[in-house]
Amino acid sequence: MAKIQMKTPLVEMDGDEMTRVIWQMIKDILLTPYIDLNTEYYDLGLVHRNETDDQVTIDSANATKKYGVAVKCATITPNAARMPEYNLKEMWKSPNGTIRAMLDGTVFRSPILVKGITPYIPTWTAPITIARHAYGDVYKNTEMRVEKGSKAELCVTKADGSEERALIHDFKSDGIIQGLHNLDESIGSFARACFNYALDLKQDLWFSTKDTISKKYDHRFKDIFAEIYENEYKEKFEAQGIEYFYTLIDDAVARVIRSNGGYIWACKNYDGDVMSDMIATAFGSLAMMTSVLVSPDGIYEYEAAHGTVQRHYYKHLKGEETSTNSVATLFAWTGALRKRGELDNTPDLVDFANKLEKATIKTIEDGVMTGDLYLISKLENKTKVNTEDFLHAVNERLAEML
Ligand code: NAP
Ligand code: MG
């Protein structure tokens, strides 16, 4: 069989530790035997980030802007313990943070559902995708402790030097205050990324804030979404038979629990942080979550939602057997290859990505799985396999499908 050809390079961002080991195995066992893999390779492993003073991260984000699709391996975000371990010149910033800022993107996370692993909410039969606004609010706050007898005010100095003031509180006892902000432009980018992704997935979009209490701040989010929807997306949504639906965050939570899934839920930064952990846990495992960063101008970066699985890597280094779940990393590859195929109009590549995902799910539903899933799967006949054997088991099923 002739290998599948790729018209445009895919930006490949390699990473660290156990996921770096898995990255190479996926390419060797499941990709290069079938595809003439055309990637522009960037090594975002911490060793190379340190060698290049993190320039490689910036270069990889620029390449993503140029070509439109990237696939990223999990990477170490250095902390104090990593400084001596990797002999670092600096405590380099999180690559995800750098890339997200450069692409001005929104992150969408969805669970991968398999038979045998029942969500804690058993009526969730279709995935719930969380879209989290990744700018501002409490993540860029200014806080103070306030002594009793103080008066706290909001004060804005305008471009012409004039001031606008509002009382926060007259403190009769000790307390605390916090200042938050967001930007119309960032909220607009977030809205467009969500509307585009809903059209892509052909799923309804829900958006929720607390606008009844936060009558200016949260209300601004609601208004910007509504305005962009009316002017730019309403007709496209109606043509696809999907819906945009705004509701209060409390009402959204109640509806989510009662739902069957199958929609995208857009959340403000803090709500998205909290709710994505809730959704991931309720669906079973972080190792069964896909994650994609989508920019408002339609650039896509696919990755796994979990980290570099450090504990497993140290076992691997000692020569011990590991049983690490590669599904989220594998789905980062299939997501990126499918998107590349759609943009380049190469149906072979799209078909390959779809079959590789089916083969992966079939493997787990046949009872062959890694240790993390083995612990939670309710299948009667199940076998725990090691990291590499899982990929071989997927390949057996893939070869049959092709
Ligand atoms: P982690 O790598 O996600 O692992 C946490 C634990 O979750 C693991 O020890 C393992 O539990 C389980 N786990 C996660 N992924 C798994 C998989 N694929 N298969 C089986 N089990 C899995 O998070 P971490 O240990 O907090 O962080 C390690 C490094 O990853 C850090 O340096 C951090 O900076 C980085 N990180 C990167 C990203 C990213 O690039 N997107 C995201 C988060 C963290 P058991 O040990 O109990 O088996
Ligand atoms: Mg969180």
Side-chain angles (χ1 to χ4, degrees):
M1 204 179 77
K3 286 195 187 182
I4 297 165
Q5 298 298 309
M6 292 174 63
K7 285 186 193 163
T8 312
L10 175 64
V11 177
E12 175 184 353
M13 304 170 175
D14 207 345
D16 287 299
E17 300 195 309
M18 200 59 211
T19 40
R20 187 181 180 96
V21 175
I22 288 173
W23 195 259
Q24 193 59 46
M25 284 180 184
I26 289 174
K27 285 167 68 178
D28 291 345
I29 299 168
L30 291 167
L31 301 178
T32 47
Y34 305 104
I35 306 174
D36 224 343
L37 209 55
N38 177 6
T39 70
E40 194 163 296
Y41 180 86
Y42 292 86
D43 183 0
L44 266 55
L46 186 50
V47 174
H48 193 58
R49 272 184 278 147
N50 191 52
E51 279 166 5
T52 61
D53 294 341
D54 210 22
Q55 184 60 38
V56 65
T57 306
I58 293 161
D59 292 346
S60 73
N62 281 326
T64 307
K65 283 187 177 173
K66 177 174 167 195
Y67 292 116
V69 188
V71 58
K72 180 182 170 292
C73 182
T75 45
I76 293 170
T77 299
N79 56 15
R82 301 295 194 170
M83 299 294 290
E85 184 183 356
Y86 283 85
N87 197 12
L88 299 180
K89 296 184 224 170
E90 248 181 66
M91 210 185 284
W92 305 109
K93 281 192 272 187
S94 151
N96 288 349
T98 303
I99 295 166
R100 202 176 293 156
M102 284 179 69
L103 301 184
D104 184 19
T106 299
V107 177
F108 296 86
R109 291 199 159 172
S110 324
I112 302 159
L113 303 192
V114 289
K115 283 193 202 86
I117 297 172
T118 320
Y120 286 91
I121 312 279
T123 46
W124 286 358
T125 49
I128 297 168
T129 299
I130 294 269
R132 172 183 170 188
H133 186 211
Y135 179 84
D137 300 351
V138 74
Y139 302 84
K140 268 199 186 294
N141 67 357
T142 308
E143 309 181 307
M144 278 185 210
R145 290 182 63 169
V146 182
E147 282 170 26
K148 94 174 165 195
S150 316
K151 183 169 90 171
E153 288 175 289
L154 271 182
C155 171
V156 175
T157 311
K158 301 187 185 178
D160 66 6
S162 65
E163 284 183 355
E164 187 179 337
R165 281 171 185 267
L167 178 70
I168 298 173
H169 194 68
D170 245 326
F171 282 81
K172 307 279 186 267
S173 59
D174 291 351
I176 42 186
I177 58 166
Q178 181 178 56
L180 308 181
H181 82 278
N182 222 301
L183 302 171
D184 287 2
E185 197 184 357
S186 174
I187 300 165
S189 293
F190 173 49
R192 287 189 181 87
C194 291
F195 290 128
N196 286 336
Y197 202 66
L199 289 169
D200 236 26
L201 256 55
K202 299 186 179 54
Q203 288 186 351
D204 291 346
L205 176 68
W206 299 14
F207 180 46
S208 55
T209 73
K210 192 72 181 176
D211 67 289
T212 47
I213 298 296
S214 173
K215 289 184 168 49
K216 289 198 175 130
Y217 197 106
D218 278 19
H219 213 282
R220 188 77 193 127
F221 279 80
K222 178 183 176 180
D223 287 346
I224 289 174
F225 265 70
E227 198 183 301
I228 291 176
Y229 178 69
E230 285 299 322
N231 295 336
E232 299 172 33
Y233 291 94
K234 193 165 191 267
E235 281 169 24
K236 292 179 199 158
F237 269 52
E238 283 169 359
Q240 285 211 8
I242 58 173
E243 201 191 343
Y244 167 61
F245 165 64
Y246 176 86
T247 190
L248 264 183
I249 180 86
D250 341 25
D251 181 50
V253 168
R255 284 172 190 262
V256 164
I257 297 296
R258 289 196 305 263
S259 77
N260 300 120
Y263 49 85
I264 300 160
W265 182 13
C267 292
K268 287 179 63 203
N269 209 350
Y270 174 79
D271 298 341
D273 183 354
V274 176
M275 291 305 162
S276 63
D277 280 6
M278 192 267 285
I279 297 279
T281 307
F283 272 104
S285 157
L286 255 199
M288 298 294 281
M289 282 296 267
T290 63
S291 182
V292 57
L293 176 73
V294 184
S295 82
D297 42 352
I299 291 163
Y300 294 76
E301 185 240 326
Y302 293 83
E303 59 177 353
H306 59 78
T308 59
V309 215
Q310 183 179 14
R311 205 180 61 82
H312 295 215
Y313 180 60
Y314 290 159
K315 276 178 75 177
H316 169 82
L317 284 183
K318 281 194 260 170
E320 289 171 32
E321 186 167 80
T322 58
S323 183
T324 314
N325 191 333
S326 52
V327 172
T329 306
L330 188 47
F331 273 59
W333 273 101
T334 52
L337 291 170
R338 180 172 41 241
K339 180 53 74 182
R340 197 61 274 166
E342 285 169 5
L343 295 176
D344 288 352
N345 205 3
T346 45
D348 285 2
L349 196 58
V350 175
D351 183 56
F352 174 84
N354 289 337
K355 284 182 174 152
L356 181 48
E357 288 183 358
K358 282 204 184 95
T360 307
I361 288 170
K362 186 169 190 318
T363 305
I364 300 168
E365 294 186 343
D366 284 348
V368 181
M369 60 195 81
T370 46
D372 57 319
L373 298 186
Y374 184 81
L375 285 176
I376 56 174
S377 172
K378 296 200 175 75
L379 293 183
E380 284 183 5
N381 295 309
K382 51 181 181 179
T383 321
K384 177 182 163 180
V385 291
N386 68 34
T387 309
E388 185 169 353
D389 285 350
F390 177 76
L391 295 171
H392 287 300
V394 173
N395 189 35
E396 279 168 27
R397 288 159 183 83
L398 175 66
E400 272 171 30
M401 289 179 186
L402 296 168

